[in-house]
Amino acid sequence: MLEYLIIQLDDTSTSYCHYKIGKKERRLIPLEMLKAGIKFGMLENLMIQFVYPDYKLPDDYAEAIETIDHSKIVSSLCENEVLKAEADVIIFHEWTELSLAQLDEKKSYVLRTAKADLFDRYLFLKDVISKVMRLNIVITDVETFTEQDFEKYKQILHTLSEHIEKEYAAGKAPQFNILTDRMMLDKMNNCNAGASNITLAPNGKFYVCPAFYYENEEDSIGDLEHGLDIKNPQLYKLEFAPICRHCDAYQCKRCIWLNRKTTLEVNTPSHEQCVVAHLERNASRELSDNIRKHGTFMLEIDIKGIDYLDPFDKREEW
Amino acid sequence: MLYRNPKSWQLGIARTITFIVTKDCQLACKYCYLVGKNISERMSFETAKKAIDYILGHEDKFREESVIFDFIGGEPFLEIDLIDQICDYLKTEMYRLNHHWFNSYRFSFSTNGINYHEKKVQDFIKKNASHVSIGITIDGTEKKHDMNRVYKLTERGSYKDVVKNIPLWLEQFPNAGTKVTVSSHDLPYIVESVLHLYSLGIHEVNINVVFEDVWQDGDNTIFEQQLIKLADIIINQGYYKDYACSFFSENIGKPMDREWDNNNWCGAGKMLSVDAAGNFYPCTRFAQYSLRDKKALIIGNVETGINENLLRPFLTLDRCTQSPEECLDCEVASGCAWCQGENYDAAQTNTIYQRATAICKMHKARVRANNYYWNKLFRKLELEGKRDEFEKNKKESNPTIC
């Protein structure tokens, strides 16, 4: 069931996920199209998330946006300081930017990082995790992970897990997507692009997510004039994903765009996406067990021990 | 000299590896799914060698107990010199590497039969005697055969050039079956064609209707009538004792459980095909020359190997995930087959997860005729007190579809 509408306000709107922004020239969504998009969201009862470019929008755009309850996704590089202060989520694309930023303990942040930078600078994250309400890590080249990378990532998760355990022992409850989300979940909580959320691009057409728009503008799933037209819509749902529906790495993004990029099917994740998600899952299990040494914690969530990192390897048992 | 029955060898435990040695063929069959045949894409020995080196060098990825090296085209025997060279190299390398497939392999061919008698082909058969399997495609009577299986330039029927080689083929492969394909306009000739093939000495007729969306209103009725007529003749004249026709199977036409009958039917992804460009495919049907509307689905090549991520959708595909609700609720679902390549080609998006249902009415007609066949046959056998004997000796046909 659709719940969210993401509106890309401009072709240069910030990326908040795995994809790169595929366009360099500004193309602001026409005001009437923006209003039509907002109306579509109201009629379909969708929560709207606006994704902003780095430049200041005209006042009449800001007025239109304020006509509906919404979330604001804004880059740390945005020149509009007022907007950044109002943002619900701030996106960092550079570690240096993050290290220089004034962080707000009541805000959520996303750090988009290549694996190499994460592997080099992960210790810095301890400080960030302690300062903010929530930090999400998005590894932008997860499809390139090698066996050595998996091992390194496992070590990183272990190190950061020790820090989070100390925070919990001190009475805090930091949110760090790759370690703490799974501890709280008893069912899949994925991106769900194409199933529970869709994107309206500046050209007035709908896409499964912004990544699909940047990859191929022709790959739309409808437009404002004619409505939604999602072909094979069932394939975006968990029940129609043979690997994922058997999986309990509930925190996995299950990125539909990465699925298609790596396996050519929107419902099938790559080996790399599965192993990374399971390393996080297993680290969450360890963290959860360790937090419980300090007191009662989420007893209703039982993360079982498993002997695999890729559920695909267990397909004969399904 | 007698050779082994090709069809059922190591069924289920053999890996099929297909060399698309040429995309050329003497014929231009009207129902052929190979829409992009051409004379330029001929495999070089260098490409074949690289494919073999990759496959035999990665025993961990090819663990099946046995292997069927399948050679197709176009018409594979147009490249008999290359095939001979490939097979020699395969044998030498399997021996040199002490590969687990040595002594558990077959060379398999589906041919139009036109140059079956030629010396080079016959020399190859003799040279590889105990390891070769050959199926010749003959569609039935001259009339039916020549309606579809015509030479590409002259559109002359090929029946006479094929049928003259059937005695030699049956002498060498007495248990061999032939594969018959039925499309819309040749439906009225099913009965005479199956009986004609029996009369040629072919005891096993593996026959199927095409998966493509070619069916017209009323075709299902013609199909059902033909099958009922065929059933009467097979039963009344006793053909059922020694002959098989794959249209009649006891196992079709039952509802299927969503949980227990959820396996994928098609073997795409468990097979491997390689073409002249050195590209790997999950099945030949995903090569560009087989596809009408979609881009080839390439899963690797002889230089870089197989991209395992691209095999994941094939190896986790199941019946229910790809089938529409009407198929899942179908009361006569069992035996209704599909071709993964045709599903991909016909799908609304670039997916193998959308089952094409063009044969729905034809399957239902087949089920009705099957019910008639088995009710009539079993009653006859029971009245004659021969049911038990039949069950003990009955001849199974192969579920040949591709």
Side-chain angles (χ1 to χ4, degrees):
Chain A
M1 181 186 162
L2 274 182
E3 295 175 75
Y4 300 96
L5 174 65
I6 296 156
I7 298 183
Q8 291 280 107
L9 292 166
D10 188 278
D11 271 358
T12 61
S13 287
T14 186
S15 169
Y16 57 87
C17 205
H18 293 291
Y19 64 94
K20 281 182 190 161
I21 299 170
K23 298 178 191 296
K24 291 181 178 158
E25 301 297 319
R26 288 181 184 181
R27 174 164 64 162
L28 186 60
I29 189 170
L31 186 59
E32 288 312 308
M33 214 173 265
L34 173 63
K35 289 177 178 173
I38 290 170
K39 187 176 177 186
F40 178 89
M42 293 168 81
L43 290 168
E44 298 293 330
N45 203 26
L46 306 178
M47 169 63 82
I48 299 182
Q49 298 173 330
F50 291 102
V51 188
Y52 283 78
D54 289 349
Y55 66 90
K56 189 173 184 300
L57 295 181
D59 289 345
D60 44 3
Y61 278 70
E63 281 173 25
I65 287 168
E66 292 309 321
T67 60
I68 182 77
D69 188 20
H70 66 274
S71 301
K72 291 181 169 70
I73 300 173
V74 181
S75 166
S76 66
L77 301 171
C78 181
E79 61 194 34
N80 183 343
E81 293 298 330
V82 175
L83 178 66
K84 278 200 311 196
E86 292 174 351
D88 298 278
V89 183
I90 299 277
I91 314 295
F92 285 96
H93 307 274
E94 295 284 342
W95 286 73
T96 307
E97 279 285 322
L98 179 61
S99 66
L100 297 173
Q102 291 277 3
L103 299 173
D104 183 340
E105 63 180 5
K106 293 177 181 166
K107 268 201 190 310
S108 292
Y109 295 88
V110 171
L111 172 61
R112 297 179 66 247
T113 176
K115 67 181 182 188
D117 290 336
L118 176 67
F119 293 174
D120 283 347
R121 307 175 75 168
Y122 68 95
L123 288 174
F124 169 67
L125 294 178
K126 291 183 184 179
D127 187 42
V128 179
I129 291 166
S130 300
K131 282 183 180 168
V132 302
M133 185 181 84
R134 179 178 177 83
L135 176 63
N136 279 2
I137 296 292
V138 175
I139 302 172
T140 52
D141 50 1
V142 70
E143 70 274 19
T144 67
F145 265 63
T146 62
E147 289 300 319
Q148 290 79 14
D149 293 334
F150 293 143
E151 203 50 47
K152 178 72 178 170
Y153 192 52
K154 186 179 173 184
Q155 290 166 16
I156 289 170
L157 289 167
H158 179 73
T159 302
L160 295 175
S161 172
E162 288 179 332
H163 172 71
I164 292 174
E165 181 193 344
K166 285 178 192 163
E167 292 282 284
Y168 267 88
K172 298 176 186 170
Q175 293 181 42
F176 182 48
N177 66 325
I178 57 179
L179 277 169
T180 64
D181 281 5
R182 178 60 185 87
M183 297 194 305
M184 315 289 180
L185 293 167
D186 61 1
K187 63 178 180 181
M188 275 291 185
N189 183 39
N190 316 126
C191 162
N192 285 338
S196 67
N197 66 80
I198 53 164
T199 292
L200 176 65
N203 62 0
K205 293 181 179 176
F206 294 112
Y207 294 86
V208 171
C209 83
F212 284 74
Y213 169 63
Y214 288 121
E215 193 167 81
N216 179 9
E217 230 178 282
E218 300 299 308
D219 203 4
S220 70
I221 51 169
D223 58 41
L224 281 169
E225 192 181 349
H226 303 96
L228 279 175
D229 179 23
I230 306 179
K231 303 281 193 282
N232 280 320
Q234 76 282 2
L235 296 182
Y236 299 99
K237 296 177 182 171
L238 180 64
E239 311 89 273
F240 288 83
I243 296 176
C244 304
R245 69 178 179 234
H246 292 97
C247 177
D248 75 344
Y250 297 147
Q251 87 296 341
C252 178
K253 277 191 179 304
R254 204 163 75 81
C255 176
I256 299 294
W257 174 70
L258 271 182
N259 286 358
R260 196 180 69 167
K261 182 178 174 186
T262 54
T263 71
L264 304 181
E265 293 287 349
V266 295
N267 66 348
T268 308
S270 66
H271 171 70
E272 292 77 16
Q273 192 171 184
C274 286
V275 173
V276 165
H278 279 75
L279 290 171
E280 294 164 0
R281 173 212 182 272
N282 291 348
S284 295
R285 177 173 186 262
E286 182 189 5
L287 174 59
S288 185
D289 287 347
N290 288 336
I291 291 172
R292 284 171 185 157
K293 291 174 187 166
H294 303 281
T296 306
F297 174 73
M298 299 296 292
L299 290 176
E300 67 277 20
I301 306 290
D302 178 28
I303 309 175
K304 292 188 166 53
I306 52 175
D307 62 355
Y308 59 87
L309 288 173
D310 184 350
F312 176 80
D313 297 335
K314 291 286 175 181
R315 62 191 183 280
E316 302 298 333
E317 296 175 16
W318 296 343
Chain B
M1 184 181 287
L2 299 184
Y3 303 108
R4 297 184 188 193
N5 182 355
K7 290 289 182 183
S8 56
W9 184 76
Q10 300 293 76
L11 195 65
I13 59 169
R15 176 79 165 230
T16 299
I17 293 170
T18 302
F19 292 86
I20 307 171
V21 288
T22 178
K23 292 177 183 171
D24 190 16
C25 182
Q26 308 97 317
L27 304 182
C29 300
K30 290 174 182 170
Y31 51 58
C32 184
Y33 64 84
L34 301 173
V35 292
K37 281 188 291 192
N38 62 77
I39 59 171
S40 57
E41 292 183 75
R42 297 172 59 211
M43 186 175 278
S44 68
F45 178 67
E46 267 315 296
T47 298
K49 183 174 175 298
K50 283 180 184 173
I52 293 165
D53 290 344
Y54 172 77
I55 292 162
L56 297 184
H58 290 81
E59 225 171 329
D60 56 321
K61 292 181 194 288
F62 297 88
R63 293 178 181 167
E64 290 83 354
E65 202 174 295
S66 308
V67 64
I68 297 170
F69 294 110
D70 185 32
F71 296 89
I72 69 160
E75 167 50 39
F77 284 149
L78 290 175
E79 295 292 339
I80 188 63
D81 290 333
L82 170 67
I83 289 168
D84 189 39
Q85 202 177 1
I86 291 173
C87 292
D88 283 350
Y89 185 68
L90 276 167
K91 288 181 285 188
T92 308
E93 283 300 286
M94 285 191 293
Y95 177 76
R96 186 181 70 79
L97 295 167
N98 193 25
H99 196 283
H100 75 279
W101 283 343
F102 187 71
N103 263 337
S104 193
Y105 66 92
R106 282 285 178 282
F107 299 133
S108 174
F109 300 83
S110 291
T111 173
N112 59 32
I114 291 171
N115 50 5
Y116 185 80
H117 62 287
E118 288 177 3
K119 184 172 183 309
K120 282 181 177 177
V121 175
Q122 287 300 309
D123 286 348
F124 175 85
I125 293 170
K126 283 166 193 151
K127 180 176 172 182
N128 294 285
S130 59
H131 291 281
V132 73
S133 310
I134 298 176
I136 292 181
T137 300
I138 181 164
D139 259 3
T141 58
E142 182 169 1
K143 186 173 181 183
K144 177 182 176 324
H145 185 97
D146 286 350
M147 282 175 75
N148 285 310
R149 301 186 68 80
V150 297
Y151 283 90
K152 63 182 172 187
L153 296 177
T154 62
E155 295 210 348
R156 178 172 68 82
S158 61
Y159 176 84
K160 285 192 170 67
D161 298 328
V162 179
V163 78
K164 71 182 184 192
N165 285 326
I166 297 296
L168 173 61
W169 174 54
L170 289 177
E171 183 188 321
Q172 293 171 327
F173 300 95
N175 297 320
T178 191
K179 196 177 78 171
V180 178
T181 305
V182 178
S183 192
S184 177
H185 61 290
D186 48 4
L187 282 169
Y189 307 101
I190 289 174
V191 175
E192 62 183 57
S193 292
V194 172
L195 296 176
H196 179 68
L197 294 171
Y198 288 171
S199 75
L200 291 175
I202 299 169
H203 284 243
E204 184 174 310
V205 177
N206 296 303
I207 186 165
N208 67 280
V209 295
V210 299
F211 291 108
E212 287 77 6
D213 189 8
V214 298
W215 303 107
Q216 312 288 323
D217 284 347
D219 278 354
N220 53 329
T221 307
I222 300 171
F223 185 44
E224 186 177 320
Q225 287 166 350
Q226 281 286 305
L227 291 190
I228 288 170
K229 192 173 171 189
L230 183 61
D232 283 339
I233 296 171
I234 286 176
I235 294 169
N236 293 340
Q237 299 186 21
Y239 283 112
Y240 62 87
K241 295 171 190 163
D242 298 311
Y243 295 82
C245 172
S246 63
F247 271 144
F248 299 118
S249 164
E250 277 185 79
N251 302 319
I252 75 163
K254 310 287 191 300
M256 295 179 78
D257 186 89
R258 292 188 189 219
E259 188 174 351
W260 303 111
D261 293 324
N262 194 23
N263 288 337
N264 189 29
W265 183 91
C266 174
K270 294 172 186 161
M271 307 181 274
L272 182 70
S273 290
V274 58
D275 71 358
N279 289 323
F280 288 134
Y281 305 92
C283 155
T284 303
R285 192 63 172 75
F286 289 89
Q288 194 61 65
Y289 81 140
S290 304
L291 296 165
R292 300 179 304 274
D293 297 322
K294 293 281 170 34
K295 281 187 184 168
L297 202 159
I298 298 168
I299 57 167
N301 62 61
V302 296
E303 305 291 346
T304 59
I306 295 171
N307 179 344
E308 300 286 338
N309 274 332
L310 297 177
L311 280 180
R312 288 164 74 92
F314 288 92
L315 300 180
T316 52
L317 186 58
D318 57 64
R319 183 179 71 90
C320 292
T321 308
Q322 65 185 303
S323 300
E325 278 296 313
E326 65 169 318
C327 296
L328 300 180
D329 290 337
C330 180
E331 294 289 331
V332 293
S334 67
C336 184
W338 59 85
C339 163
Q340 221 65 61
E342 173 57 20
N343 286 0
Y344 171 68
D345 209 3
Q348 291 175 299
T349 58
N350 292 328
T351 184
I352 59 170
Y353 278 79
Q354 184 186 348
R355 180 171 164 185
T357 55
I359 64 163
C360 179
K361 283 184 180 173
M362 303 304 283
H363 172 71
K364 286 172 178 166
R366 182 186 169 208
V367 168
R368 286 164 57 81
N370 256 263
N371 293 340
Y372 175 83
Y373 177 89
W374 292 106
N375 277 313
K376 177 164 181 159
L377 178 59
F378 286 151
R379 186 62 180 158
K380 172 184 164 71
L381 292 169
E382 280 157 11
L383 290 172
E384 293 172 353
K386 292 180 177 171
R387 176 77 187 264
D388 290 345
E389 185 189 342
F390 174 81
E391 293 293 343
K392 251 187 274 177
N393 302 321
K394 70 183 170 189
K395 190 171 173 61
E396 294 289 345
S397 62
N398 293 305
T400 303
I401 302 295
C402 295

